[in-house]
Structures are given as C-alpha cells and as structure tokens.
Amino acid sequence: MTTDTGLEDAVLERIRSAIGRKEASLHEPMLYGNEIEYTRQAIESGYVSSVGEFVDRFERCLESYIGVKHAIAVVNGTSGLQLSLRILGVARGDEVICPALTFAATANAIVHAEALPLFVDVSESDLGIDFEKLDSFLESTAERTESGLINKMTKRRISGLIVMHTFGHPVDMDRGCALSEKWGVPVVEDAAEALGSRFGDHHVGTLGRLGVLSFNGNKIVTTGGGGAILTNDDTLAESCRKLSTTAKIPHAWEFRHSEVAFNFRMPNINAALGLAQMEGLPEFIGAKRKLHDRYRDSFSDMSEIRVFSESPGRTSNHWLNAVILGKNHSHRLDDLLRRTNDAGVKTRPAWTPLHLMDHFSTMSRTDLSTTEDLARRILNVPSSAFLVSRR
Ligand SMILES: *Cc1c(COP(=O)(O)O)cnc(C)c1O
C-alpha cells in the first residue's frame, strides 16, 4: 500500500482555495431575504395549510420565471413524480425507464405509482441517460404493440421514461424527446435539482410532458419541503390540480369527491417561504456560477481530476459542483472523502447506483457499466451560494 497522500492534500487545498475558507458544509440554503416577513404574513392570515394566497403567488411566480403555462405546487418532489406517472397512465405492474445513477426518490416514485423501475445507463458527457445506449437496448429488447411498448424479456409494458438533470446539468432533451416519440413512451423530467437550468432557450422541466421540481432544504430554492409539477398542457395541469387536492368537487359546503386521490397540495406557509426564496434565485445562480468558475480555476493544473461542467448549448444552474477523478485514480475516492471530511470540508460521493441496493437489485436493467464507473469517480464538493455571495 502506498502512504502517498499527495493527491488527497492537493484536492483539499484546491477546494479550500476555491471556497476561500478552511471548512464548509456541502450545501446550505440562504434565508436572508423576505422569508421571515412572508411566513409571518401567512401565519397572521390564519391560512397556514393547503389554502391561501401564497400558494397561488408562488405558482404564478414559478410560471413567469420558468416560462411555462402551469406550475402546480405539491408537498415534495417525490410525490410530484408519483402523481406525474399516474396522470400519464402508468399502471400497476408497468415498467418505467429511469437512470441508475440518481437519487433514490426517482425510483421510489415509480414504485409508489405501483410500477417497476427499468434502470438504464448514463453518459459520461452529461451524467444523464445515455439515449443512444437506451435506443439500442429498446431495439433489441422491446416491441411496439397495440397495447403499448412491451419489454420482450419481462412481458411488461414500458409506459414511462424519467430523465434526470444531474446536479443541475441539463440532459440532451432533443434526443430524449426524439426517443420518446420513436418508442411512444411519455417523458417526465426529474428537474428536482435543476430549477433555473436551460436547454437552449427553454428551462428544463418544460420539455417533457411533465416536469418536476423539488424545494427540499438542500435544493437551490427551498420551501422547507416541497415540489412543483410543470406543464404546458392544460388537460394534464387540470388533472394535477384535481388529483393533488383529493379530487374534491368544488361546492360551498358539500364534501363530494370524483375519485380516490391524493393530499399533495403544498401548504401556504411553505409557499410563503418559497416566494421569498424565488426573489433570491437570480443571485443564487450568479453566485453558484462564480463558485463553479473558482473551482475550475483552482483545479485547472491537476491532471488527475477535472471539474464537471455544462455541455455546449446548455446552461446549468450549477446547483452542486462535482469533480471527477481520472479512470486511473478511482481507487483514491475513499481516501479523498476521508481526508476532506476529517478536515471539515464536507464532500460526498455520488449516489450508490440504485440497482446495487437490495430492494432494487431484481429490477430490469441494461448494462450499467458507465453508471458503476462514474459512481466510483465522482466527488461532490461544497456548493452553497453564500460561499461567494455578497451578503
Ligand atoms: C431531491 C430530489 C428528488 C426528490 O425531491 P423531494 O422533494 O426530496 O421529495 C427527486 N429526484 C432527485 C434527483 C432529487 O435530487
């Protein structure tokens, strides 16, 4: 065994130089604007729960910022994904395609919708689904029939495709939509990490049939806990609103519901927090872009490691910065994690690939070699906006 700690020390020193301090957490929200004022107003109004003006104001604010016809605020991103799949017709026992390199919530939502994840590989260029590889898998394994796309190995219907914009970096939605069209499978964008990111001129989350945001405390904008479903389709939006609010038929006093539905509407008090956060979003994105540039400068002289960056024609919100170890250095990841965390610089590996966890190990999948390789080489580094912000 080598006792050489040169790489670990060099990486620690470069992170510290980029963030301009000795210690840092991985990601913390900035709550320095109107957050207290708006939540106070929500409390004073007496409307703290699923009815109230802040929910509407927050939704209209999202719609105008993103340039989408409908934003429907929900309790979290996971439930937004679950509801999206249900609305697009995913049924019990179906398979839904999703990347193996993603946060567990993506696949959990598929299971909550009574379907099964079909794990596919990701690409080293944007860390999202490798659409070329997926297309050849479908060529060899799937068949279009009258009842939909059928996986010939499992005989199950493949009724949905979730693409995920990893760490805020947009995937190639032209390719994603072309593949969806070719195979007749609707796309849901898991844009949980990517509020403010754009593919060409369009915000991500608006290019699939439905897109889902998360406002968990670790995301670029937080409502404490929360999410939103985005769509340009009036009918889908109507279904989202209805099914997220128990499908109650509007009436002055009567409790009558048109079907079994969910209680997924975002509470007013969370929306008040979110509205204040949206006022800070341009500043958060500017700060994150600046921080990303600092990481790039700081690591520019290292050949063993590179700072992961956006692809041409796509604008990332740079939610979470990642450095990627060269293929010959993947055995150093554990040492790097230990050295940096011990020194107070909170770094994290990417997610454990989902198919490697027991409860997902029997699910259908393609070859996942790039997913497994990348999971051994990605190191997420401190990325809070306040590290470079003026305030
Ligand atoms: C955060 C996140 C979610 C889930 O969001 P919650 O609001 O925590 O339910 C889903 N997918 C990805 C990729 C995420 O990062």
Side-chain angles (χ1 to χ4, degrees), residues 14-42:
R14 279 168 180 73
I15 295 173
R16 282 176 164 165
S17 133
I19 63 181
R21 57 184 81 191
K22 277 191 124 53
E23 299 190 357
S25 59
L26 186 69
H27 195 276
E28 281 173 51
M30 276 175 66
L31 302 161
Y32 312 148
N34 283 317
E35 284 80 0
I36 290 174
E37 173 58 22
Y38 291 174
T39 40
R40 190 182 59 78
Q41 286 176 22

Side-chain angles (χ1 to χ4, degrees), residues 41-82:
Q41 286 176 22
I43 292 165
E44 284 179 359
S45 76
Y47 291 98
V48 291
S49 194
S50 55
V51 178
E53 65 155 329
F54 280 109
V55 182
D56 296 323
R57 285 173 67 187
F58 182 53
E59 288 181 342
R60 302 299 84 75
C61 176
L62 286 170
E63 287 162 2
S64 73
Y65 175 80
I66 292 166
V68 69
K69 225 165 151 191
H70 305 281
I72 297 98
V74 292
V75 287
N76 55 51
T78 311
S79 58
L81 288 168
Q82 177 188 349

